[in-house]
Amino acid sequence: MAGEGDSEPNKSFKLLGFLDVQSVPCARESVLYGSVGSLVVGLGHFLATSRVRRSCDFAVGGFICTMLGYWFYCRYNLAQHRIRQRMLKEGMRNKLIFEGSSLDPERKQTSNERSDS
């Protein structure tokens, strides 16, 4: 059956021997965008100048710049997402704790409750 061969664990791909592309957030996308960036920069420079060695140098530079640029962009967005998620979780927990109590901000206080405070 087709499902029998799927019992092998997923083998991770390590870039430069230490960067596990599968488990590190944003690593896979950064490498993919970097490779596309290097292709565009290298090919563009080659078409403009017809110098092979110099175009390869530009391609490597394009890879590094594109990969690092997207890495920082993706990690920044991931950090913002986690902060918003943490704030939402805290707000939901506070909503459950304070719901129906005198500390509930959505509950309208009556005149008796105001005089007791």
Side-chain angles (χ1 to χ4, degrees):
M1 295 276 171
E4 292 175 1
D6 296 337
S7 62
E8 293 181 20
N10 290 338
K11 294 185 179 183
S12 63
F13 175 71
K14 293 195 180 217
L15 186 66
L16 300 175
F18 65 90
L19 180 62
D20 189 8
V21 176
Q22 244 180 352
S23 64
V24 177
C26 301
R28 179 179 178 267
E29 292 85 5
S30 297
V31 171
L32 290 175
Y33 281 121
S35 62
V36 171
S38 72
L39 181 71
V40 168
V41 170
L43 189 61
H45 190 270
F46 177 74
L47 291 176
T49 63
S50 297
R51 296 174 68 187
V52 177
R53 185 178 172 103
R54 185 84 156 173
S55 297
C56 290
D57 293 341
F58 270 79
V60 170
F63 174 77
I64 293 171
C65 290
T66 307
M67 187 181 76
L68 288 178
Y70 187 76
W71 172 269
F72 288 123
Y73 170 76
C74 183
R75 294 296 287 203
Y76 178 75
N77 283 341
L78 184 65
Q80 279 188 333
H81 178 71
R82 287 181 178 168
I83 289 170
R84 277 182 272 161
Q85 191 176 18
R86 194 178 316 127
M87 288 173 54
L88 184 63
K89 190 183 289 186
E90 183 76 22
M92 289 173 62
R93 184 172 42 230
N94 287 342
K95 171 86 172 155
L96 289 173
I97 291 172
F98 296 132
E99 190 173 30
S101 69
S102 61
L103 299 174
D104 188 6
E106 294 181 4
R107 185 175 171 206
K108 294 182 180 179
Q109 292 183 345
T110 62
S111 59
N112 291 342
E113 291 176 346
R114 286 187 202 140
S115 62
D116 292 341
S117 301

